[in-house]
Amino acid sequence: MINVQSRNVTSLNGDWSVIIDPAGSGQWQQVWLEKQPQKKTDFFEYSFQGAPVLKVPGDFNSQLCELTWYEGTVWYKKEFNYRAQKGRRLFLHFGAVNYWADVYVNGEKAGSHEGGFTPFQFEITGKVKDGPNALVVKVNNGRYKSGLPGLGYDWLNYGGITRDVDLIETGNTFIEDYNIQLKKGSLNTVSGWVQLNGSQLAQNITVKIPELNIFYKARTDNEGVAKVEFSAAFKLWSPGSPKRYKVMIESETDTVEDNIGFRSIEVKGSKVVLNGKQLFLKAVNIHEENPFKGARASSAKDAVLLLNAAKELGCNLVRLAHYPHNEHMIKEAEKMGLMVWSEIPVYQHIDFADSSLPSKMEGMLKEMVRRDRNRCAIIIWSLSNETYPGTPGRDKALAELTKKCKAIDSARLITHVINTQRYQNNTFDLWDTLYRQADIIAINEYIGWYTPWQGLPAATKWTLVCPEKPVFISEFGGEALYGNKNVPTDEAAYWTEAYQAKIYTDQIEMFNTVPDLCGVCPWLLFDYRSPGRMHPVYQKGYNRKGLLSDKGEKKKAWYIIKEYYNSIR
Ligand code: GCB
C-alpha cells in the first residue's frame, strides 16, 4: 500500500541483532528457526543472543568497519509485541532492503523480494501471535549478472535494511492505492482513481480538498476501483511556489490523508513546459549518501542536508541517480520546490538477453511509480542509464519498458540516458536511436575529462538523427580533490580544483552550441564513496567529481555553476 506514514503504523526501526554470514552457512543451519540447545552438550554455530547490533534504517557497511566493502549475507532479527484484534489485518512494510530479502515471521516464511531501492510488503495477519513475535530477515547484497544493477557500478554497494520498517494495521478493507494528479495537459482537471483492498470492495468514497471546497463522491466497482475526475482553480505547484493541498481520501472503512501538489509537465516541440510555461532545467546529480557520515542517506534530515545544497546551488531539479531514492528525498524536495528526476537502476552492463530481465525491470518500474505517482515534484521517469546499443535484446526490451511506463503513468516525461554519441572533429553525432523512446534526449558526456576537447568548446557542432526534441546534458564534469592547488600550472593538472573549474567553464561555453538545450546537470553534488576509485592520494575510495567535497567544502567549480544558474532566469 502507498503512503504508509498516514496509516496506523508501528515503527520497527531501531536496534536489530545481526549474524554476519560470509560463507552462507546460515541457510542450511536454518537461522530463521532460531533453534536453541536443549542439553548442555547441544550446540548450534549461530545465535542472535550475544550478536552485534545494527541500526535500522541503515546500511551495514558503514556501521561495522569489518563490513566496509562487504557484499554478502547478513541475518537481521527484531522482536515485536502484538495483540491481535478481530477483523484487523497486519502488514509488514519495508521501505527498501538491498538487494535480496527473505523475510520470516516466527520461523515461517512471509516472502522474498529482489531489488534494493523500492518498497515491498507482506501480509502477516495469520502469522503473528499475541505477545512477543520474532522477525528474521536474510539480507544479501551480493552482485548478480542478471541483477538490477548488474555486476558493475560506480557507487558503494550499501547493503542492509536501508530504509524504514513498519507494521501497518488495517481494517478488513482498506484504501490501498490512489492517483490524484492533474490530467496530462490540463491545469485544472484531476483525473485519477482510488483502489480498495479487502472483502468489501464496493463502497462509497469521497475525495476531499477542504481548501478548495472539493468533496468529490464516487462508488468503487466490484474490483474496488473508482474513477476520480473533478476540476478546481488550483494554485499550481512550481519551484517558485511549491503549493500543496491537504487531501483526504475516505471510504466507508478507511481514511488516508496526503499533501498533494498539482502541476502540469509537458514537452511542446523542443521545449519543456511546466504549467504552460517554458523552463530551463537547472539540475544536479545526487547519490543517496550522507557525505558527512559516509553512509546511505535514510532520514528526512539526510534528505534536507542534500537538498539544501542543491537549492543553494540554484537548482530547480535534482536527478536522483541511479535508483529510486527514499521517500523522504521526494517529499522534502516537493516541500522545498525542487523538481525530481527519478530512475530505475538499469545501469550500464545489463544483460538484456537474460530472460528474467523484462519482468524484473517492469517490477521495479511499477514499485517506483506506485510509491510516488502522487508526488507532483517528480516530472521525469528515467528508465535506463548508459546501456550499450549493440547489446542483444536491448532496444526491444527498453522499447517495451517505455510502453509499460506510459501505460501506468502517461502524465510525466520519460527518458533514457545515452552516452554512446560519437565525438569527432569537435562534432557530436547522436546515432543511438534509443532516444526515440524518450520525451527528452538525455546525454552524458565527459569532454574535458575522459575525452579531450577537439576544438574550441564554443565551436562544437551537433548532428542529431532525431531532432525536434529537447536536449538535456544529464552528466558532465571531472574530478578534483578539494584544496588541491598544484601551483603554478593549475589548469593543466588533473585532480586540481582549477582543472575541474576549467572543465566547467568550457562546458558552459559548449552549452550554447547544443540544439534545443532544455537543461544541464553536473555530475555531481558531493564527492561520494565508490570502491572503484582507489587512487591513494586523490581518491581514497571516493569519486571526486563533487562540486562539494565529502565534508561539504565548496570547490571552484561550485561557484561557476552557481553563477551560471543565477544568470538564467
Ligand atoms: C557516468 C555514470 C556515473 C559515473 C560517472 C563517472 O557516466 O553514469 O554513474 O559515476 O560517469 O564518474 O564516471
Side-chain angles (χ1 to χ4, degrees), residues 154-155 287 319 322 347-348 385-386 419 444 446 450 475 479 523 528 533 543 545:
D154 182 23
W155 65 86
H287 261 299
R319 176 181 180 218
H322 281 297
Y347 179 90
Q348 293 185 352
N385 180 72
E386 299 189 349
N419 76 328
N444 291 352
Y446 283 89
Y450 294 125
E475 288 181 29
E479 298 200 34
W523 185 262
Y528 68 99
R533 308 289 180 172
N543 182 318
K545 293 194 187 72

Side-chain angles (χ1 to χ4, degrees), residues 324-339:
H325 286 209
N326 65 69
E327 224 172 331
H328 299 294
M329 282 292 275
I330 321 289
K331 288 190 171 165
E332 295 302 324
E334 193 159 288
K335 278 192 222 161
M336 289 164 71
L338 282 164
M339 295 178 284

Side-chain angles (χ1 to χ4, degrees), residues 380-444:
I380 299 173
W381 301 124
S382 176
L383 306 188
S384 65
N385 180 72
E386 299 189 349
T387 56
Y388 298 106
T391 315
R394 185 203 72 160
D395 289 354
K396 187 166 171 279
L398 293 182
E400 283 294 311
L401 192 66
T402 309
K403 230 189 263 165
K404 286 188 171 132
C405 188
K406 281 189 185 145
I408 51 178
D409 181 9
S410 58
R412 287 179 175 84
L413 310 183
I414 293 176
T415 198
H416 293 267
V417 176
I418 57 174
N419 76 328
T420 45
Q421 62 280 354
R422 249 175 252 119
Y423 174 62
Q424 278 166 358
N425 305 321
N426 212 21
T427 303
F428 278 100
D429 171 18
L430 255 62
W431 57 274
D432 184 350
T433 52
L434 181 58
Y435 65 73
R436 294 201 174 127
Q437 302 296 335
D439 294 314
I440 69 172
I441 301 175
I443 300 167
N444 291 352

Side-chain angles (χ1 to χ4, degrees), residues 454-471:
Q454 295 172 1
L456 287 177
T460 310
K461 289 183 210 50
W462 292 78
T463 15
L464 300 177
V465 180
C466 168
E468 284 294 298
K469 283 191 181 189
V471 176

Side-chain angles (χ1 to χ4, degrees), residues 55-319:
K55 290 277 180 223
V56 168
D59 65 88
F60 51 62
N61 308 78
S62 66
Q63 296 191 57
L64 286 175
C65 62
E66 66 266 36
L67 295 183
T68 302
W69 307 114
Y70 185 67
E71 298 189 340
T73 296
V74 173
W75 297 83
Y76 281 73
K77 182 188 169 187
K78 180 87 176 168
E79 282 194 358
F80 62 90
N81 277 305
Y82 187 68
R83 190 147 300 279
Q85 288 177 54
K86 219 170 162 261
R88 305 295 286 167
R89 296 169 71 184
L90 191 66
F91 294 84
L92 183 56
H93 185 277
F94 293 84
V97 172
N98 190 30
Y99 173 83
W100 290 94
D102 292 313
V103 178
Y104 300 86
V105 176
N106 298 325
E108 197 187 331
K109 182 106 173 233
S112 298
H113 182 263
E114 177 179 356
F117 305 98
T118 43
F120 58 95
Q121 68 179 35
F122 302 115
E123 179 159 11
I124 55 168
T125 309
K127 295 188 168 68
V128 278
K129 50 186 173 48
D130 282 351
N133 289 270
L135 170 60
V136 172
V137 186
K138 178 189 178 188
V139 180
N140 183 295
N141 70 332
R143 296 176 193 230
Y144 298 87
K145 188 164 177 278
S146 55
L148 285 178
L151 293 173
Y153 38 93
D154 182 23
W155 65 86
L156 201 150
N157 179 17
Y158 290 114
I161 305 181
T162 50
R163 297 186 189 161
D164 300 327
V165 185
D166 290 294
L167 281 173
I168 310 168
E169 208 186 67
T170 72
N172 240 320
T173 305
F174 62 92
I175 298 165
E176 180 176 57
D177 199 356
Y178 50 87
N179 180 25
I180 314 281
Q181 287 281 282
L182 288 179
K183 194 163 146 174
K184 192 168 187 77
S186 173
L187 300 180
N188 60 6
T189 302
V190 162
S191 168
W193 42 263
V194 172
Q195 166 83 64
L196 305 182
N197 176 315
S199 50
Q200 194 192 328
L201 288 174
Q203 295 195 21
N204 293 320
I205 59 132
T206 313
V207 176
K208 296 183 181 170
I209 311 180
E211 200 183 326
L212 292 167
N213 222 4
I214 296 285
F215 297 89
Y216 174 85
K217 291 187 186 307
R219 189 159 175 85
T220 50
D221 61 17
N222 291 337
E223 306 288 306
V225 181
K227 277 202 165 163
V228 173
E229 184 146 339
F230 58 85
S231 299
F234 293 105
K235 187 164 182 267
L236 299 172
W237 183 98
S238 70
S241 164
K243 169 71 185 162
R244 300 179 310 152
Y245 291 92
K246 186 176 275 184
V247 178
M248 275 92 91
I249 300 111
E250 294 179 0
S251 75
E252 293 163 32
T253 52
D254 197 14
T255 302
V256 183
E257 205 177 291
D258 207 339
N259 287 301
I260 298 184
F262 300 91
R263 57 95 194 97
S264 101
I265 185 77
E266 287 172 286
V267 161
K268 281 198 173 146
S270 54
K271 314 257 178 287
V272 173
V273 173
L274 177 80
N275 300 333
K277 285 188 216 113
Q278 184 196 346
L279 96 165
F280 189 80
L281 302 171
K282 303 186 233 180
V284 72
N285 281 288
I286 303 182
H287 261 299
E288 192 190 40
E289 180 174 285
N290 178 324
F292 302 125
K293 294 186 189 154
R296 260 270 170 270
S298 60
S299 63
K301 218 167 139 200
D302 291 340
V304 169
L305 179 139
L306 294 165
L307 298 168
N308 271 343
K311 265 281 190 202
E312 192 186 335
L313 186 63
C315 295
N316 56 18
L317 172 77
V318 285
R319 176 181 180 218

